[in-house]
Amino acid sequence: MSVDHTDASTSGRHDAPAAAAVRTYPVAPGVRLNVRSGPGTGYGIVRVLSEGASVPIFCQTPGTSVSGPYGTSKLWDNINNGEFVSDAYVYTGRDGYVASRCS
């Protein structure tokens, strides 16, 4: 008899603890925000966030300077694997970093 899969609860293996909760931040009102594949306007658009969206910020990194509702910023927010938005369109309540720098 062959085994196609193993139930982790009976294998003696323990999974890593769940990641800490990540805070979400609102995108500027009335804005449909481009999500790019890297930290700059030269990167391709991978999707567009709808009006009223909120985003998690996993890390932040410098990139292309962008002017938006919350000022002019070179800071870009990593909101998912390979997805970045300009911090000038995200209300974080601060002009600087609110998350760790992306590595």
Side-chain angles (χ1 to χ4, degrees):
M1 177 173 138
S2 67
V3 176
D4 291 330
H5 68 279
T6 303
D7 182 8
S9 64
T10 60
S11 68
R13 189 186 81 208
H14 299 285
D15 292 329
V22 174
R23 183 172 173 194
T24 60
Y25 299 88
V27 172
V31 171
R32 291 177 39 107
L33 185 58
N34 291 335
V35 178
R36 297 189 177 267
S37 61
T41 55
Y43 290 88
I45 297 170
V46 294
R47 64 184 171 120
V48 178
L49 298 176
S50 60
E51 291 183 30
S54 288
V55 295
I57 299 178
F58 295 103
C59 64
Q60 295 175 292
T61 190
T64 305
S65 182
V66 172
S67 293
Y70 301 120
T72 300
S73 179
K74 290 184 176 184
L75 199 56
W76 285 74
D77 305 329
N78 175 250
I79 63 166
N80 203 347
N81 188 25
E83 294 186 355
F84 294 82
V85 295
S86 170
D87 195 62
Y89 285 87
V90 179
Y91 183 75
T92 62
R94 298 183 63 186
D95 286 337
Y97 287 85
V98 297
S100 62
R101 292 180 184 236
C102 301
S103 52

